[in-house]
């Protein structure tokens, strides 16, 4: 196959303890470490491995967001992507509009495969890949843990509630990846230097002429209700007694 | 009035309990008429179960041999073909629903509300974001069809007692040939199902091997509990993926959750926030799991489990 398109979303790093802003307008992002959504990093790693096996010629990373997302795209280039596209907007982009943006880029780039994370760890929506597949009228293989390319077909193992589901899809298609697909590589300093020379195209969102979907509005953020403080027991006898008290055994 | 369509989840001719939880969520919407659609290869036994759920007034069956596969590419067009007239279309936040519903939403040209945990009004809901570290109140446009998934751990199944009418319908939609089901490898187990079990015993990386993880299975059997695990335990190959609990595994709400040799990473805790009582057994007194535990016991699990077994069976 020729091209693989990979989405990289800039999100609050997964190690950060997220705090809700006191005015309820969102979560605190000032001075907070931002990273590539962990699932997207796995998506990119998989695309790079496919290319390194000789099954693809080019890996293109795409991000939708503010100019800051260039950092994540540069990291993607340092990992080994060939070029990057940033669709620039300072507005929040809803899932369907995001899918329409990817669809527009697909029209332009004609990729054989689009690999995305199964969800972004900020909104936890798990929608964009499925929506893209729907409007592109192509197969979707969500929550994938293995991906085997065979000419114009792919065999995908999906992690589902009852176990594993194996499906076969015709390419082009959208695959969304789960955590167990691979362990993403670390970027090395020379790769970061090299990545600076790789092409990163910036397209203002307005230029793409996307019909914006009606967003679901986010009215108010609040912290989750905290669990009541528990008790510590000294030994197994104490544990069993407490469980009996609560009527749990 | 709201007219709500719920897409039934099922396997092997049996309705999944997630459907009764979607009905529970839908019946919190004021002045709602609730229908269930069964898209299946053999809909009638499933429809009979759905028709007995309280609050459901109509069950619609779409029978087609192709529906042996419940993949989104196959089911979504059939749901969309009959969606007209409904103000809301709900599915569960299980892997079935999460695969399907966004495809339905996109075909209808709307965004989706994922993981409803609380109903505030016909178009206003609460849902978790950032692995449950924030709860957001969302409002969906009232003039468009509302597609949503229901966070099943937030709801209790509605009881039986309904008596809905069952109707077969035919829809015009083409089944795509580009997506083919090869095989479903379902884990076989006689233990209570992780997602619905009243009690769950879960183990983490500390168990150290597949063999030693048997300690968790044995304790679960003594308690009549289901078994869960952390991502670290699954990644290490101690147990299969369907046992993973957390942000990227299952979100569960048992009455009792016993976490053994589990540190309590944010991504794991997301999966157990709604548990009734959390018991933590960990040798590190500073492990974050103790911050959420109702009952904590510091010590070596390899000493504690045999003692606990003895105390419970004695
Ligand atoms: C995007 C993303 C999504 C994730 N999703 C999930 C998810 O869905 N579910 C999930 O579980 N994780 C998830 N993780 C991983 C998570 O961050 C943690 O790495 C994982 O939960 C740790 O598992 P653990 O508690 O078994 O292992 P560890 O963190 O290594 O903890 C082991 C614990 O065992 C204790 N211990 C060791 N020996 C003994 C002994 N002999 N007796 C008693 N206690 C002992 C230790 O003190 C320690 O607290 C995710 C991570 C990312 C980045």
């Amino acid at each position: 196959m020729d091209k693989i398109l990979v989405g990289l979303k800039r999100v609050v790093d997964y190690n950060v303890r997220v705090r809700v802003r006191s005015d309820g307008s969102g979560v605190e992002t000032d001075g907070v470490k931002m990273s590539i959504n962990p699932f997207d990093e796995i998506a990119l790693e998989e695309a790079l491995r496919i290319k390194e096996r000789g099954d693809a010629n080019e890996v293109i990373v795409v991000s939708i967001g503010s100019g800051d997302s260039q950092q994540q795209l540069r990291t993607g280039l340092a990992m080994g992507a060939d070029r990057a596209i940033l669709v620039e907007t300072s507005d929040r982009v809803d899932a369907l509009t995001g899918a329409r943006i990817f669809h527009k880029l697909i029209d332009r780039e004609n990729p054989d495969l689009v690999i995305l994370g199964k969800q972004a760890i900020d909104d936890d929506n798990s929608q964009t890949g499925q929506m893209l597949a729907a409007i592109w009228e192509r197969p979707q293989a969500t929550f994938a843990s293995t991906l085997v390319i065979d000419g114009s077909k792919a065999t995908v193992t999906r992690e589902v509630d009852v176990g594993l589901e194996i499906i076969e899809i015709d390419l082009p298609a959208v695959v969304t990846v789960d955590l167990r697909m691979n362990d993403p590589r670390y970027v090395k300093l020379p790769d970061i230097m090299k990545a600076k020379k790789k092409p990163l195209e910036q397209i203002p969102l307005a230029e793409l002429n996307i019909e914006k979907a009606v967003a679901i509005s986010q009215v108010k953020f609040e912290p989750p209700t905290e669990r009541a403080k528990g008790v510590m027991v000294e030994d197994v006898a104490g544990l069993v007694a407490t469980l009996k008290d609560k009527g749990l055994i | 009035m709201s007219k709500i369509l719920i897409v039934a989840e099922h396997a092997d001719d049996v309705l999944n309990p997630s459907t009764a939880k979607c009905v529970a969520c839908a019946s919190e919407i004021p002045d709602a008429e609730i229908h269930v659609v069964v898209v299946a290869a053999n809909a009638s036994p499933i429809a009979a179960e759905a028709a007995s759920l309280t609050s459901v007034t109509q069950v619609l069956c779409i029978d087609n041999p192709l529906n042996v596969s419940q993949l989104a590419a196959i089911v979504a067009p059939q749901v969309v073909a009959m969606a007209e007239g409904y103000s809301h279309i709900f599915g569960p936040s299980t892997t079935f629903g999460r695969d399907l519903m966004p495809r339905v939403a996109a075909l209808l040209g709307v965004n989706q509300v994922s993981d409803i945990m609380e109903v505030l009004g016909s178009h206003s809901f609460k849902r978790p974001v950032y692995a449950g570290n924030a709860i957001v109140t969302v409002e969906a446009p009232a003039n468009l069809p509302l597609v949503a998934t229901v966070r099943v751990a937030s709801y209790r199944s509605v009881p039986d007692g309904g008596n809905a009418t069952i109707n077969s319908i035919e829809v015009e939609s083409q089944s795509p040939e580009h997506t083919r089901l090869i095989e479903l490898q379902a884990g076989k187990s006689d233990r209570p199902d992780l997602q619905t079990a009243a009690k769950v015993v879960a183990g983490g990386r500390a168990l150290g091997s597949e063999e030693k993880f048997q300690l968790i299975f044995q304790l679960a059997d003594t308690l009549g509990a289901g078994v869960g695990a952390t991502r670290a335990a699954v990644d290490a190959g101690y147990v299969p993926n369907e046992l993973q609990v957390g942000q990227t595994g299952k979100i569960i709400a048992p009455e009792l959750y016993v976490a053994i040799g589990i540190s309590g990473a944010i991504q794991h805790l997301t999966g157990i926030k709604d548990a009734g009582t959390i018991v933590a057994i960990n040798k590190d007194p500073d492990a974050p799991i103790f911050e959420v535990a109702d009952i904590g016991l510091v010590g070596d699990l390899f000493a504690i489990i045999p003692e606990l077994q003895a105390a419970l069976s004695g």
Side-chain angles (χ1 to χ4, degrees), chain B:
Chain B
M1 198 194 73
S2 297
K3 207 171 157 196
I4 305 177
L5 181 67
I6 293 169
V7 185
E9 175 171 11
H10 57 87
D12 303 324
D13 296 346
V14 178
L15 189 68
N16 187 292
S18 66
T19 305
K21 294 182 179 191
C22 290
V23 175
C25 173
S27 47
E28 283 185 4
I29 290 178
D31 196 16
E33 180 179 334
I34 303 172
H35 296 182
V36 172
V37 61
V38 178
V39 181
N42 175 25
S44 67
I46 306 157
E49 275 191 84
S52 71
L53 295 175
T54 301
S55 309
V56 177
T57 55
Q58 211 183 116
V59 177
L60 301 149
C61 301
I62 305 177
D63 261 297
N64 187 329
L66 289 172
N67 291 332
V68 170
S69 158
Q70 288 287 298
L71 289 162
I74 290 150
V75 178
Q78 301 177 66
V79 174
V80 170
M82 62 159 301
E84 218 186 299
Y86 288 98
S87 57
H88 298 62
I89 305 170
F90 282 5
S93 64
T94 54
T95 51
F96 163 75
R98 285 194 319 204
D99 185 45
L100 172 68
M101 300 309 286
R103 194 159 178 127
V104 170
L107 292 175
L108 292 171
V110 297
N111 271 295
Q112 172 184 291
V113 178
S114 294
D115 305 318
I116 294 177
M117 59 185 285
E118 198 181 323
V119 173
L120 302 174
S122 66
H123 290 75
S124 176
F125 310 95
K126 285 191 185 187
R127 63 172 300 259
V129 289
Y130 290 93
N133 287 303
I135 307 299
V136 63
T137 299
V138 296
E139 230 150 78
N143 57 337
L144 295 173
L146 194 158
V147 177
T149 58
V150 173
R151 184 176 180 274
V152 289
S154 299
Y155 291 91
R156 281 181 193 286
S157 301
V158 290
D160 279 352
N163 188 15
T165 53
I166 301 176
N167 293 306
S168 267
I169 54 168
E170 295 209 5
V171 295
E172 255 182 72
S173 79
Q174 259 172 355
S175 206
E177 281 159 19
H178 55 48
T179 306
R180 299 171 290 275
L181 174 67
I182 306 289
E183 190 192 358
L184 183 62
Q185 301 173 345
K188 293 259 177 296
S189 163
D190 299 332
R191 294 190 176 80
D193 175 58
L194 175 57
Q195 240 154 349
T196 47
K199 296 174 190 173
V200 170
V201 180
R205 194 198 312 267
L207 270 300
S209 70
E210 191 181 345
E211 293 72 45
K212 291 193 213 139
F213 206 95
Q214 293 307 315
L215 287 169
I216 299 291
F217 285 105
Q218 287 155 10
L219 181 59
D221 289 346
T222 305
L223 285 166
V227 172
T230 62
R231 174 186 169 198
V234 176
D235 284 357
Y238 307 162
V239 288
N241 66 283
E242 64 265 24
L243 297 192
Q244 182 172 318
V245 172
Q247 182 185 19
T248 53
K250 287 182 179 140
I251 312 273
I252 57 173
E255 285 160 34
L256 174 65
Y257 187 77
V258 186
I260 303 180
I262 291 176
S263 61
I266 293 171
Q267 295 87 5
H268 185 76
L269 299 184
T270 311
I272 57 170
K273 284 214 160 88
D274 299 297
T277 299
I278 298 175
V279 174
I281 300 171
N282 195 303
K283 70 173 182 190
D284 173 8
D286 296 324
I289 188 77
F290 289 123
E291 288 167 31
V292 300
D294 300 285
I295 311 174
L297 175 55
V298 176
D300 180 4
L301 71 91
F302 295 107
I304 290 172
I305 296 181
E307 246 188 88
L308 189 53
Q309 281 282 16
L312 292 172
S313 356

Side-chain angles (χ1 to χ4, degrees), chain A residues 1-6 58 60 102-103 105-114 136 171-173:
Chain A
M1 80 175 101
D2 191 25
K3 293 181 195 173
I4 305 177
L5 213 63
V6 174
E58 192 182 25
I60 307 162
F102 272 101
H103 193 211
L105 295 178
I106 286 170
D107 274 349
R108 219 180 65 161
E109 301 284 349
N110 281 310
D112 304 280
L113 185 61
V114 178
W136 190 19
L171 301 179

